[in-house]
Amino acid sequence: MEQYKEMVFSKTESKKFHTLRNQESELRDYTEEDILEFLEIITEDTEEFVTLTSEKLIGEIRFVQAAVNNGEITLEIGMEKEDGTHLYEKVVSFENCKEIFLNLHNGIWNEDLDDFEPALFC
């Protein structure tokens, strides 16, 4: 039986800009419409993902990312702690996913962190 565990990643360097990216593009100069377009793509292509990285920490959150797995949207957050970046996840609706991405874009984090579970790896 495989053992799953929480991984701790290196902290993401602070930058002077937000980035929005997927497998084909990385944008520094983007609009809310670009975010929505990138999110629409993940609903059509299950090999695709979208990540929004903040220029600075918003609360303890550095980034959000989303992908479709088994027909559900998995939203992951990168939470920076003293020992590195911890990855947490939860399943969300498309509407909730859009709201979280747009809020982070606007410097807002108001999600209940207790709703997220550590992302586990083999």
Side-chain angles (χ1 to χ4, degrees):
M1 183 172 172
E2 294 184 59
Q3 185 73 16
Y4 290 92
K5 62 181 178 174
E6 183 179 355
M7 300 282 293
V8 179
F9 300 91
S10 300
K11 289 184 180 180
T12 303
E13 276 187 48
S14 293
K15 299 180 180 179
K16 295 181 184 194
F17 47 84
H18 277 49
T19 57
L20 177 68
R21 73 180 186 96
N22 64 14
Q23 288 180 334
E24 289 80 36
S25 304
E26 181 171 318
L27 307 175
R28 292 183 189 170
D29 184 24
Y30 62 89
T31 65
E32 289 188 356
E33 288 76 27
D34 292 323
I35 294 171
L36 298 177
E37 181 181 319
F38 275 36
L39 289 172
E40 283 290 337
I41 292 169
I42 69 169
T43 65
E44 299 164 6
D45 181 354
T46 59
E47 298 296 314
E48 192 59 80
F49 67 90
V50 60
T51 304
L52 177 62
T53 304
S54 176
E55 64 192 356
K56 62 182 180 342
L57 288 177
I58 299 172
E60 296 175 288
I61 308 304
R62 173 65 68 193
F63 65 85
V64 295
Q65 56 191 23
V68 174
N69 296 305
N70 299 321
E72 297 181 314
I73 297 173
T74 301
L75 180 102
E76 296 179 330
I77 59 173
M79 183 185 303
E80 289 196 8
K81 297 184 177 184
E82 195 170 300
D83 63 339
T85 300
H86 294 248
L87 195 61
Y88 294 90
E89 65 186 7
K90 73 175 180 174
V91 173
V92 296
S93 69
F94 186 69
E95 291 303 314
N96 189 219
C97 186
K98 289 191 312 189
E99 178 184 354
I100 291 169
F101 269 79
L102 293 174
N103 281 344
L104 190 77
H105 166 71
N106 290 308
I108 300 167
W109 183 260
N110 55 11
E111 296 299 308
D112 185 350
L113 295 175
D114 290 335
D115 292 341
F116 290 84
E117 298 286 330
L120 301 177
F121 297 86
C122 291

